[in-house]
Amino acid sequence: MQTFHPRTRRWTRIEYDRLIDKGIFQPGERLELLAGQLVVRDPQGTPHATGIRLVTRALREVFDEDRWIVDMQLPVALDEESEPEPDVAVIAGDPRDFLPSHPAQPVLVVEVAEASLTFDREEKGSLYARAGRSTES
């Protein structure tokens, strides 16, 4: 008897963005594209939200707003199969620079974690690290 192994389909960032543009997902549905997989994000508790606000406040005090953007939970185009929404990201430039597409090279990414610590360190961390290596030439 043969063992059944279900196949999964990997999504690209372009396909994911088209699905969003067409309104395929429910309003407020919390999804991220990570390594070609659509991942459902857990609802945020108060401690998590407070951590994001505190990190954002601290980084906005350090980074000059004329040269840097400190974003909360907005998409970052890491590669062809990943468009995570890190809790906080620091990006060089002006918001209008990213009208054609999401930022691709954050200089700093912060994930605030409670239950997701292992996932954020191992899965998301490897995506961020791999993207960082690919942008250094």
Side-chain angles (χ1 to χ4, degrees):
M1 181 179 201
Q2 289 184 337
T3 304
F4 175 74
H5 296 283
R7 291 180 21 183
T8 59
R9 182 191 190 286
R10 296 177 74 89
W11 297 88
T12 66
R13 259 190 329 102
I14 292 170
E15 293 170 323
Y16 176 62
D17 289 342
R18 285 183 187 151
L19 293 172
I20 291 169
D21 290 343
K22 292 188 181 291
I24 301 298
F25 304 119
Q26 299 296 316
E29 193 167 5
R30 297 174 45 89
L31 295 171
E32 287 181 297
L33 181 67
L34 303 175
Q37 301 295 317
L38 292 177
V39 177
V40 178
R41 294 172 36 194
D42 290 331
Q44 294 179 18
T46 304
H48 186 259
T50 300
I52 292 169
R53 288 185 185 107
L54 291 170
V55 167
T56 302
R57 177 191 287 170
L59 292 175
R60 285 185 176 155
E61 289 177 10
V62 172
F63 286 91
D64 178 2
E65 67 182 35
D66 292 331
R67 297 180 42 217
W68 302 96
I69 303 166
V70 179
D71 278 339
M72 292 190 322
Q73 301 183 319
L74 291 175
V76 174
L78 288 184
D79 59 30
E80 293 305 312
E81 293 185 327
S82 298
E83 192 173 284
E85 296 181 13
D87 290 324
V88 184
V90 178
I91 300 142
D94 181 80
R96 288 178 188 84
D97 295 342
F98 305 105
L99 191 55
S101 64
H102 296 304
Q105 297 180 351
V107 296
L108 177 66
V109 172
V110 178
E111 292 287 354
V112 176
E114 291 177 89
S116 65
L117 181 60
T118 301
F119 179 79
D120 287 349
R121 279 188 176 164
E122 294 174 6
E123 302 299 324
K124 282 187 161 182
S126 68
L127 291 174
Y128 294 131
R130 196 168 53 237
R133 281 194 304 270
S134 67
T135 60
E136 296 174 2
S137 311

